[in-house]
């Protein structure tokens, strides 16, 4: 079985652990979001790619679910002593090694795809991990100027998504989300083929706007999803009125989408009406929304969606593949 997964960071990598448990013999290709990428202290950082790599390679911090296990922070502390900004984003000592290798290879002319493949070789990943694009794409958020005062009060400014997410914890009002560079980007080698040639395409419970949404925003990717012969199955990142993890509700509000499983399904849309979904898994507690989702032309199934451990996540993955077979018939 050939499976392709469009994935963000923590939610996507956690789901992938369950998928690997459910289908250990499957050939899995992961298309990772790169619009969260940022250059800090002269180093190119790819948070979502690294979270997938560390998680599936056995190096992730089990407590934080991002960064390395057994991490130390000496360099972060030394940079702070020098007064180097930004102080709101810290890189661990082990993690910095990854970013040094990546930056050196990029500076030497290697593509992000080639760099990612080289990094993954060290971790012996059980999946093929592809960046969504080799071109530079960065998500920026238009907010009320958090530093505005006096004559500047009321002005807006664009800040990098990482600053909005990490520094401000998505607590300041976001007016617009822009994937800078996406309009001129191309899918990385292998991305369109992975979408076209798979048996099932899965959208895990990653952020629908700034993770899955930015992948779909790369020119040619949404069209490939709409044309693939494979069933396209998504899992709701919303249970009740809150996100499974993170602050997806904040960015959903920015694009005018309510924080419900039904609203996110309609945001993605059915393939029969120009969207990207054939099937949608919602949590059992949201079963009352099933008729609304079915009315939008999307097959729906209600199952437990809390990724509390690998076994429950594997059951979610199995449910997604079962729904895919029902859609196929």
């Amino acid at each position: 079985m050939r499976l392709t997964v469009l994935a963000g960071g923590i939610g996507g990598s956690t789901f992938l652990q369950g998928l690997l448990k459910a289908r250990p013999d499957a050939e899995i290709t992961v298309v990772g979001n790169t619009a969260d990428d940022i250059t800090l202290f002269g180093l190119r950082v790819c948070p979502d790619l690294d979270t997938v790599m560390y998680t599936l390679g056995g190096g992730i911090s089990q407590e934080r679910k991002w960064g390395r296990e057994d991490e130390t922070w000496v360099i972060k502390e030394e940079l702070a002593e020098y007064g180097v900004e930004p102080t709101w984003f810290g890189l661990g000592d082990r993690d910095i090694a990854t970013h040094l290798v990546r930056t050196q290879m990029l500076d030497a002319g290697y593509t992000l795809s080639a760099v990612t493949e080289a990094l993954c070789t060290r971790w012996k990943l059980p999946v093929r991990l592809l960046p969504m694009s080799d071109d530079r794409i960065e998500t920026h958020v238009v907010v009320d100027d958090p530093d505005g005062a006096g004559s500047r009060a009321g002005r807006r400014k664009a800040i990098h998504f990482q600053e909005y997410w990490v520094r401000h914890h998505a607590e300041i009002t976001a007016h617009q989300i822009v994937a800078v560079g996406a309009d001129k980007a191309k899918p990385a080698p292998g991305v369109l083929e992975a979408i076209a040639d798979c048996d099932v395409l899965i959208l895990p419970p990653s952020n629908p706007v700034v993770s899955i949404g930015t992948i779909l925003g790369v020119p040619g990717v949404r069209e490939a999803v709409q044309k693939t012969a494979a069933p396209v199955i998504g899992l709701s990142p919303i249970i009740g009125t809150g996100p499974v993890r993170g602050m997806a509700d904040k960015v959903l509000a920015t694009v005018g989408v309510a924080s419900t499983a039904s609203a996110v399904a309609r945001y993605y849309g059915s393939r029969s009406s120009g969207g990207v979904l054939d099937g949608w898994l919602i949590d059992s507690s949201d079963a009352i929304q099933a008729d609304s989702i079915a009315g939008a032309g999307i097959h729906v199934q209600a199952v437990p969606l809390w990724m509390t451990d690998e076994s429950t996540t594997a059951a979610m993955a199995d449910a997604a593949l079962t729904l895919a077979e029902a859609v196929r018939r």
Side-chain angles (χ1 to χ4, degrees):
M1 179 177 285
R2 294 168 300 176
L3 307 175
T4 295
V5 181
L6 309 187
I10 297 175
S13 59
T14 302
F15 174 79
L16 285 164
Q17 288 180 304
L19 182 62
L20 285 163
K21 183 178 179 66
R23 294 294 187 276
D25 297 327
E27 179 183 315
I28 302 174
T29 299
V30 181
V31 180
N33 169 46
T34 61
D36 285 7
D37 295 5
I38 189 171
T39 298
L40 295 167
F41 316 114
L43 302 177
R44 192 61 178 166
V45 181
C46 301
D48 283 4
L49 293 180
D50 289 346
T51 296
V52 172
M53 183 174 72
Y54 293 155
T55 299
L56 302 187
I60 198 74
S61 165
Q62 294 301 314
E63 178 183 356
R64 297 188 307 273
K65 301 301 181 184
W66 56 266
R68 294 287 304 280
E69 189 68 277
D70 298 323
E71 188 60 278
T72 55
W73 306 90
V74 176
I75 294 176
K76 177 179 182 292
E77 293 164 2
E78 286 298 305
L79 288 170
E81 288 295 326
Y82 281 114
V84 176
E85 296 288 344
T87 57
W88 48 264
F89 198 111
L91 300 176
D93 302 329
R94 292 176 181 272
D95 198 26
I96 282 175
T98 297
H99 309 316
L100 281 168
V101 174
R102 176 185 293 117
T103 304
Q104 288 177 340
M105 291 187 70
L106 290 173
D107 289 347
Y110 289 94
T111 64
L112 183 58
S113 293
V115 174
T116 302
E117 182 178 4
L119 292 172
C120 288
T121 299
R122 179 254 169 110
W123 293 99
K124 298 179 174 60
L125 290 198
V127 304
R128 183 187 184 199
L129 177 60
L130 303 175
M132 67 187 195
S133 177
D134 284 335
D135 298 312
R136 184 166 176 165
I137 304 171
E138 292 186 3
T139 298
H140 284 67
V141 184
V142 178
V143 299
D144 293 326
D145 188 349
D147 302 314
S151 62
R152 291 175 57 84
R155 293 183 60 178
R156 295 179 179 177
K157 65 182 294 187
I159 60 176
H160 194 284
F161 175 74
Q162 294 295 345
E163 183 173 359
Y164 169 75
W165 204 252
V166 178
R167 181 184 183 187
H168 298 290
H169 307 290
E171 292 176 351
I172 56 178
T173 301
H175 299 282
Q176 187 178 3
I177 296 173
V178 182
V180 179
D183 57 331
K184 298 179 181 179
K186 296 179 180 179
V191 168
L192 298 184
E193 292 81 359
I195 293 171
D197 298 336
C198 64
D199 295 310
V200 182
L201 178 62
I202 302 175
L203 310 186
S206 295
N207 193 303
V209 180
V210 295
S211 293
I212 304 298
T214 52
I215 298 173
L216 293 172
V218 177
V221 171
R222 179 179 292 273
E223 292 78 5
V225 171
Q226 291 170 337
K227 292 178 181 178
T228 184
V232 182
I233 307 299
L235 294 91
S236 175
I238 304 295
I239 296 177
T241 58
V244 173
R245 186 181 177 92
M247 297 165 276
D249 52 329
K250 306 286 187 173
V251 292
L252 283 169
T254 303
V255 298
V257 177
S259 185
T260 68
S262 175
V264 175
R266 290 174 177 272
Y267 174 70
Y268 279 131
S270 68
R271 283 214 287 174
S272 60
S273 61
V276 297
L277 288 178
D278 293 314
W280 187 240
L281 288 183
I282 60 175
D283 187 70
S284 302
S285 62
D286 292 324
I288 194 172
Q289 300 179 43
D291 288 346
S292 172
I293 297 166
I298 302 168
H299 291 74
V300 60
Q301 183 71 38
V303 298
L305 286 190
W306 286 110
M307 296 187 289
T308 52
D309 54 48
E310 200 169 286
S311 294
T312 57
T313 308
M316 289 168 50
D318 194 59
L321 297 176
T322 299
L323 181 57
E325 287 306 310
V327 169
R328 203 190 309 272
R329 289 194 294 270

